Amino acid sequence: MAEEKADRLKNLIAGAKEEKACQWIAGILQFMPEDLQQKCRLVHRNKGATLMRVGDEAQSVYLLIDGEVKIMNELPRGIIYALGNLRAPGILGENEVLTGIPYYRGTVMCETDCKFIYLSKNDFLLWMKESHDALYRVTIQIIEKNLSQVSRDRVFLFSTGEKRLAYLLARYFEQKAEAGICVLHIPRSKLADEIGFCMKTVDRCIAKFKQLDMIGRHGAKITITKAQYTKLREYFG
């Protein structure tokens, strides 16, 4: 029986590629009762797939164990407001389920190929009620995610398009830079959605940032060095 439980945990953890995600998922699953572990499912979603939408019935919670998702709010008249990105490890759908909100309040789209551990609403609530250790770890994730969102909202609320884009590009550098440089292949339409301005504003800002040596531009690619990242932070700071 103990061997079966160990094998089940290994299979669930195996979906996580990065060490941080492996450690987090192994740490939290050790506090999940065996009968609930048997109900967990590994779920794969391809890049561009939608995991949940605003207004869908909140019946599931997902543990993001590999990949990166974008969390968005769809406002009236089709306006999309990007709340931010979440990279594994993380939890999705937990706020609605824990607070009894019947419908998801955000849309979640996969920025990369992603893997999740699926739990039904009732099983997740039972787990949180039975394990104080698991609840504690989930609470930390919720706080970290909400603090990041509050910080972003403060920057965006009264900022110009230029400052919003500078903030966004700096965040991309923090998340994606390798060996001191970040290379972005992002459509202008996506940048426009994420800062809540039109594509003309994005074009104007990119041209200005390039002229000020805050970014590099090579065809459709945007590049950001460590020195340029510092300039971006100073610009919106």
Side-chain angles (χ1 to χ4, degrees):
M1 188 68 70
E3 290 182 0
E4 289 181 9
K5 180 178 179 181
D7 288 341
R8 194 176 301 113
L9 280 172
K10 286 181 181 178
N11 289 334
L12 292 173
I13 296 167
K17 293 180 182 178
E18 297 184 4
E19 184 64 25
K20 178 182 177 182
C22 286
Q23 291 178 354
W24 182 81
I25 201 67
I28 197 169
L29 286 183
Q30 67 178 310
F31 301 115
M32 180 182 285
E34 188 175 350
D35 59 326
L36 292 185
Q37 288 181 22
Q38 293 175 348
K39 295 181 180 181
C40 288
R41 289 205 322 261
L42 270 176
V43 176
H44 299 249
R45 291 288 186 272
N46 294 329
K47 178 180 178 180
T50 299
L51 182 70
M52 59 182 68
R53 289 189 180 279
V54 170
D56 286 351
E57 196 170 356
Q59 291 294 325
S60 310
V61 173
Y62 296 87
L63 308 182
L64 174 62
I65 62 173
D66 186 55
E68 182 176 346
V69 299
K70 178 168 68 174
I71 305 171
M72 303 171 290
N73 191 7
E74 299 181 29
L75 303 175
R77 295 181 294 173
I79 298 173
I80 298 174
Y81 174 60
L83 299 175
N85 284 26
L86 178 65
R87 189 175 182 85
I91 309 176
L92 298 157
E94 80 290 351
N95 282 324
E96 291 85 349
V97 169
L98 286 172
T99 56
I101 297 172
Y103 301 101
Y104 293 123
R105 296 179 297 176
T107 294
V108 177
M109 182 176 291
C110 297
E111 290 280 84
T112 66
D113 292 345
C114 294
K115 294 177 185 176
F116 307 87
I117 293 177
Y118 159 87
L119 274 170
S120 72
K121 168 185 174 179
N122 291 336
D123 288 340
F124 178 76
L125 287 173
L126 180 61
W127 182 26
M128 294 297 100
K129 290 174 182 176
E130 289 190 355
S131 173
H132 294 162
D133 291 302
L135 179 59
Y136 171 72
R137 293 178 184 232
V138 167
T139 300
I140 290 174
Q141 283 285 332
I142 293 172
I143 291 171
E144 288 178 349
K145 188 164 60 173
N146 288 346
L147 283 176
S148 176
Q149 179 57 40
V150 167
S151 175
R152 189 176 191 273
D153 286 346
R154 284 174 178 168
V155 171
F156 269 53
L157 188 57
F158 299 110
S159 294
T160 64
E162 290 180 4
K163 289 199 172 185
R164 290 188 184 190
L165 185 59
Y167 175 84
L168 180 65
L169 294 175
R171 289 286 292 164
Y172 271 125
F173 180 91
E174 293 167 358
Q175 295 166 2
K176 299 178 180 295
E178 296 181 3
I181 189 165
C182 176
V183 181
L184 301 175
H185 303 263
I186 300 179
R188 292 176 300 128
S189 57
K190 180 182 175 184
L191 292 175
D193 284 344
E194 292 193 350
I195 67 171
F197 279 77
C198 65
M199 284 194 290
K200 286 184 178 180
T201 298
V202 171
D203 287 338
R204 177 176 54 78
C205 293
I206 288 175
K208 180 175 180 179
F209 291 172
K210 186 177 185 303
Q211 184 179 10
L212 295 174
D213 192 29
M214 293 164 61
I215 62 170
R217 188 77 186 273
H218 305 279
K221 294 187 297 185
I222 294 174
T223 59
I224 307 169
T225 65
K226 184 70 178 295
Q228 289 169 333
Y229 162 72
T230 300
K231 291 182 180 180
L232 288 167
R233 284 192 58 87
E234 290 173 351
Y235 192 82
F236 71 74

